[in-house]
């Protein structure tokens, strides 16, 4: 009686859990690109042609760029362009290449955050502690900013509510002339006498920053609303100096640049122009940033940045316990934008041709006079992209380059990966125990991923029986998709890839959907049988075996026709 009472409730819970989850991700294991990089040759050829056509426009005569794509183990492709118009008296590097140096601007924040994670893991700094623990002067003499609520994690996640800058972006410096645009006369008493506010006569130091902050007002209460702030990382930089007993430049060199063999990257102005990209017109080359170094001070190249991206791709979930560095910390403006520590994260469903599966880009952009820069990490594809542009007045050149590279690269990678999945996983499997009338047919398509076409267990049709009756709403189209967990089982020296079977509804063209139809609670552990996950699938690639532990069956690819099996619906 009890069982009959509970069964409808169980069915409702399960069908509700998967009611509107479309296009599951990840859809395939993270690829190891070196063995398949040749398959991307046509993609890179297409990108090269489009970039050459783009840069041929005369409005980009003064633009140089360096771009590079890397896997987790090696660089896969690069392209460089040297400006057709350069400063005759100081042209910089004769030819732009992978060692050419740019000011990477706010990409520096990623290095600063890595240093913070290192110090957190070492126990010298605590992400959950307020910044005032490490810089107690902030809380002295009052002020309106609630420093006790602003932790190091809050700072790194752009959730502090602090103003954006303290010695830059003030219209008192001009142009334009403030009076000419209708602003009243004003004094400079609230402006620090350093950096841009001193016409770069002197760089700001920690004292300048702390004194300014004591008079500053917050934009938001901490942890209420994300908003971009350079001050966050300047404060982290000061905390790093105190925790490491080194100045910021030395700490970055010793902790990150040298260990990663980033031989040309530096926070000091390079001693000569051998590798310098020096855009025509105003640029920030050679300007000392002082206390603002942690937010934008590094000089680097695409070769060095690829070394850095390879490190992130292979360590992002293992730098500090309990922290996945590429995960969002808060939402940004719009439906698809999020802040991480300190990544600017985009999840978009506009790239793939045959699926609306969202693709996630963990990015960090930067801009200083003469330089626009961007890195993008695509963890599910195991790819990192660096785009460095040197140009004083090139508008949206970097955005155009990034659009070409990412769209072409991800679409091309999809084709390669689905061919690999098809070759590795699909086919008709039958039980290794000949007494069992059990089989599995796996197929693949870019729109549905790796899916189960037929599943027979002991002569019973599982898809048309149990799953159809209890786990899905049959008034809507659905399929049973396999998604990788990126975990493994070890057995007798062999590794088995662990996947999960998930019923997934398919998007119906022209269907008038309600607001709440987009709510999806991801659930990959729906049911168990005798304590084992009912939907677990293990691929033992070394011997071509697929195992379903809860169903107590192992299967291998077979030449037996499906029709030869007896099926009970």
């Amino acid at each position: 009686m009890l069982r009959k009472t509970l069964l409808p409730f169980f069915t409702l819970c399960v069908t509700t859990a998967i009611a509107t989850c479309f296009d599951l991700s990840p859809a395939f294991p993270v690829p190891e690109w070196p063995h398949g990089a040749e398959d991307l040759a046509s993609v890179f050829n297409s990108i090269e042609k489009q970039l050459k056509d783009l840069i041929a426009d005369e409005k980009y005569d003064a633009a140089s760029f360096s771009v590079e794509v890397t896997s987790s183990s090696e660089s896969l492709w690069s392209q460089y362009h040297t400006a057709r118009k350069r400063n005759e008296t100081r042209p910089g590097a004769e030819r732009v290449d992978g060692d050419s140096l740019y000011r990477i601007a706010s990409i520096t924040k990623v290095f600063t955050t890595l240093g913070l994670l290192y110090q957190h893991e070492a126990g010298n700094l605590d992400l959950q502690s307020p910044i005032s623990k490490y810089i107690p002067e902030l809380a002295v003499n009052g002020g309106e900013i609630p420093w006790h609520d602003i932790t190091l994690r809050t700072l790194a996640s752009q959730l502090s509510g602090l103003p954006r800058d303290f010695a830059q972006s003030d219209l008192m410096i001009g142009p334009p002339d403030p009076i000419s645009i209708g602003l009243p006369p004003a004094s400079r008493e609230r402006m620090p006498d350093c950096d841009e506010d001193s016409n770069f006569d002197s760089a700001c130091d920690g004292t300048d920053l702390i004194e300014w902050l004591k008079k500053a007002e917050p934009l938001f209460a901490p942890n209420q609303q994300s908003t971009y702030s350079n001050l966050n990382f300047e404060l982290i930089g000061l905390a790093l100096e105190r925790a490491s007993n080194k100045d910021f430049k030395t700490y970055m060199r010793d902790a990150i640049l040298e260990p990663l063999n980033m031989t040309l990257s530096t926070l000091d102005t390079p001693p000569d122009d051998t590798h310098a990209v020096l855009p025509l017109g105003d640029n920030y080359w050679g300007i000392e940033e002082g206390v603002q170094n942690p937010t934008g001070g590094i000089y680097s190249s695409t070769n060095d940045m690829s070394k850095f991206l390879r490190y992130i791709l292979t360590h992002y979930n293992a730098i500090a316990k309990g922290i996945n560095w590429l995960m969002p910390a808060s939402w940004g403006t719009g439906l698809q934008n999020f802040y991480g520590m300190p990544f600017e994260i985009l999840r978009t469903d506009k790239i793939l041709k045959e699926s609306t599966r969202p693709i996630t880009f963990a990015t960090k952009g930067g801009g200083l006079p003469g330089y626009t820069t961007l890195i993008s990490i695509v963890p599910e594809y195991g790819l990192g992209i660096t785009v460095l542009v040197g140009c004083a007045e090139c508008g949206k050149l970097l955005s155009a380059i990034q659009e070409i590279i990412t769209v072409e690269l991800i679409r091309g990678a999809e084709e390669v990966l689905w061919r690999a999945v098809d070759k590795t996983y699909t086919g008709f499997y039958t039980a290794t125990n000949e007494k069992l009338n059990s089989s599995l047919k796996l197929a693949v398509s870019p729109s549905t991923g790796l899916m189960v076409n037929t599943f027979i267990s002991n002569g019973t049709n599982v898809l048309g029986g149990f799953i159809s009756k209890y786990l899905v709403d049959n008034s809507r189209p659905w399929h049973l998709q396999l998604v990788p967990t990126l975990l493994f089982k070890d057995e007798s020296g062999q590794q088995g890839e662990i996947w999960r079977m998930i019923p997934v509804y398919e998007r119906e063209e022209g269907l008038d959907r309600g607001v709440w139809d987009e709510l999806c609670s991801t659930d990959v552990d729906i049911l168990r049988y005798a304590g084992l996950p009912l939907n677990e699938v293990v691929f033992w690639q070394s011997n071509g075996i697929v195992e379903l532990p809860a169903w107590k069956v192992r299967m291998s690819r077979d030449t037996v026709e499906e029709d030869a099996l007896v099926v009970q619906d």
Side-chain angles (χ1 to χ4, degrees):
M1 183 68 180
L2 180 61
R3 186 173 184 82
K4 290 182 179 178
T5 302
L6 291 178
L7 187 57
F9 176 71
F10 141 74
T11 305
L12 175 63
C13 288
V14 174
T15 55
T16 301
I18 63 166
T20 52
C21 292
F22 308 105
D23 308 308
L24 298 185
S25 180
F28 37 70
V30 179
E32 297 179 4
W33 282 110
H35 70 77
E38 292 182 0
D39 292 328
L40 293 174
S42 62
V43 174
F44 291 136
N45 287 338
S46 175
I47 292 173
E48 288 178 10
K49 183 180 184 305
Q50 292 183 60
L51 292 183
K52 287 177 181 177
D53 290 343
L54 173 68
I55 202 67
D57 193 316
E58 63 181 12
K59 66 183 177 183
Y60 297 135
D61 281 351
S64 296
F65 70 71
S66 298
V67 297
E68 189 163 326
V69 175
T70 185
S71 70
S72 60
S73 59
E74 65 182 29
S75 290
L76 303 178
W77 169 85
S78 59
Q79 187 171 346
Y80 316 105
H81 175 77
T82 306
R84 293 181 288 272
K85 291 183 179 179
R86 294 188 289 164
N87 191 322
E88 294 182 2
T89 58
R90 193 181 179 189
E94 185 175 332
R95 187 172 184 81
V96 171
D97 58 24
D99 287 333
S100 295
L101 290 172
Y102 301 71
R103 297 215 74 161
I104 63 170
S106 285
I107 294 176
T108 303
K109 293 178 174 67
V110 184
F111 291 80
T112 301
T113 305
L114 179 58
L116 172 60
L117 294 179
Y118 282 164
Q119 290 298 307
H120 170 80
E121 183 66 10
N124 298 325
L125 293 174
D126 180 4
L127 286 170
Q128 300 306 115
S129 293
I131 183 64
S132 55
K133 176 180 178 179
Y134 307 105
I135 311 177
E137 313 94 286
L138 288 170
V140 177
N141 299 327
E144 297 190 32
I145 296 173
W147 294 109
H148 59 283
D149 291 329
I150 299 177
T151 67
L152 291 171
R153 185 190 293 272
T154 300
L155 292 170
S157 304
Q158 299 285 25
L159 278 167
S160 68
L162 294 179
R164 191 182 197 278
D165 294 297
F166 85 104
Q168 295 180 343
S169 306
D170 197 303
L171 285 176
M172 282 288 286
I173 306 301
D177 173 40
I179 307 302
S180 69
I181 59 174
L183 287 166
S187 73
R188 297 171 57 100
E189 63 178 309
R190 294 178 63 88
M191 299 170 59
D193 189 22
C194 57
D195 195 72
E196 187 177 286
D197 289 352
S198 70
N199 198 28
F200 302 109
D201 287 340
S202 63
C204 298
D205 60 22
T207 301
D208 295 318
L209 172 61
I210 292 169
E211 290 304 310
W212 187 90
L213 283 169
K214 288 181 179 180
K215 304 172 188 176
E217 299 174 354
L219 301 176
F220 299 103
N223 301 300
Q224 173 179 298
Q225 174 68 50
S226 56
T227 183
Y228 196 90
S229 174
N230 289 320
L231 303 185
N232 291 334
F233 298 89
E234 292 158 19
L235 289 172
I236 293 173
L238 290 179
L240 285 173
E241 289 186 335
R242 298 184 182 190
S244 66
N245 292 315
K246 297 179 180 180
D247 65 81
F248 183 77
K249 291 181 178 181
T250 302
Y251 177 70
M252 284 289 108
R253 183 197 66 203
D254 294 349
I256 300 175
L257 301 181
E258 287 189 353
L260 295 183
N261 196 32
M262 299 178 69
T263 54
L264 291 176
S265 299
T266 178
L267 279 137
D268 291 310
T269 302
D272 57 55
D273 293 350
T274 303
H275 301 289
V277 175
L278 300 175
L280 186 65
D282 291 336
N283 66 70
Y284 225 67
W285 190 272
I287 292 179
E288 170 56 45
E289 295 197 24
V291 74
Q292 297 174 98
N293 269 319
T295 200
I298 291 179
Y299 298 78
S300 193
S301 66
T302 51
N303 281 351
D304 273 4
M305 287 306 304
S306 284
K307 296 174 185 176
F308 185 65
L309 293 181
R310 287 194 285 273
Y311 177 78
I312 296 177
L313 284 166
T314 51
H315 291 79
Y316 65 86
N317 202 21
I319 296 169
K321 291 182 180 65
I323 296 174
N324 183 330
W325 196 15
L326 300 183
M327 293 293 279
S330 69
W331 54 81
T333 303
L335 295 175
Q336 299 169 307
N337 298 278
F338 308 87
Y339 274 118
M341 292 197 305
F343 296 102
E344 294 133 11
I345 299 170
L346 170 69
R347 278 175 66 82
T348 177
D349 61 0
K350 296 180 179 180
I351 286 188
L352 302 182
K353 292 180 177 180
E354 300 182 55
S355 172
T356 54
R357 192 179 83 248
I359 307 300
T360 303
F361 295 90
T363 78
K364 187 68 200 81
L368 285 170
Y371 303 95
T372 51
T373 61
L374 186 69
I375 57 171
S376 297
I377 301 164
V378 202
E380 64 192 290
Y381 291 85
L383 294 171
I385 305 164
T386 302
V387 181
L388 307 179
V389 175
C391 186
E393 297 179 0
C394 283
K396 299 180 179 180
L397 176 58
L398 181 137
S399 297
I401 293 173
Q402 182 75 353
E403 183 81 9
I404 290 170
I405 293 175
T406 55
V407 172
E408 291 290 322
L409 179 61
I410 298 305
R411 287 179 178 175
E414 274 282 303
E415 294 183 10
V416 172
L417 289 172
W418 286 126
R419 288 198 298 269
V421 170
D422 187 23
K423 180 179 179 181
T424 305
Y425 301 97
T426 64
F428 187 57
Y429 295 78
T430 56
T432 55
N433 183 346
E434 296 180 357
K435 296 180 180 179
L436 296 178
N437 186 1
S438 298
S439 66
L440 195 67
K441 184 177 181 181
L442 304 182
V444 68
S445 80
S447 60
T448 59
L450 180 61
M451 59 182 176
V452 179
N453 270 5
T454 61
F455 179 15
I456 310 303
S457 178
N458 296 314
T460 301
N461 184 345
V462 178
L463 267 66
F466 172 71
I467 293 178
S468 181
K469 290 178 181 178
Y470 298 113
L471 297 188
V472 296
D473 174 5
N474 283 291
S475 68
R476 304 172 60 182
W478 61 275
H479 62 272
L480 189 62
Q481 184 175 343
L482 283 162
V483 295
T485 65
L486 309 182
L487 298 174
F488 299 87
K489 283 189 175 181
D490 292 313
E491 182 179 287
S492 302
Q494 301 180 57
Q495 268 201 338
E497 300 174 12
I498 303 174
W499 295 55
R500 291 293 182 108
M501 297 183 290
I502 311 291
V504 181
Y505 289 120
E506 298 174 5
R507 294 184 184 273
E508 299 174 78
E509 293 295 330
L511 182 67
D512 185 17
R513 304 187 57 80
V515 171
W516 288 94
D517 286 345
E518 290 298 324
L519 179 65
C520 168
S521 300
T522 304
D523 186 356
V524 299
D525 194 23
I526 300 171
L527 292 171
R528 290 177 175 257
Y529 179 64
L532 295 173
L534 192 68
N535 63 344
E536 184 177 82
V537 178
V538 184
F539 288 97
W540 300 96
Q541 297 291 1
S542 60
N543 54 17
I545 296 293
V546 61
E547 177 186 9
L548 283 70
W551 303 82
K552 299 187 184 303
V553 64
R554 289 189 173 215
M555 307 183 195
S556 61
R557 279 181 175 157
D558 206 305
T559 57
V560 176
E561 295 293 330
E562 286 181 87
D563 294 342
L565 296 174
V566 179
V567 179
Q568 298 175 359
D569 290 329

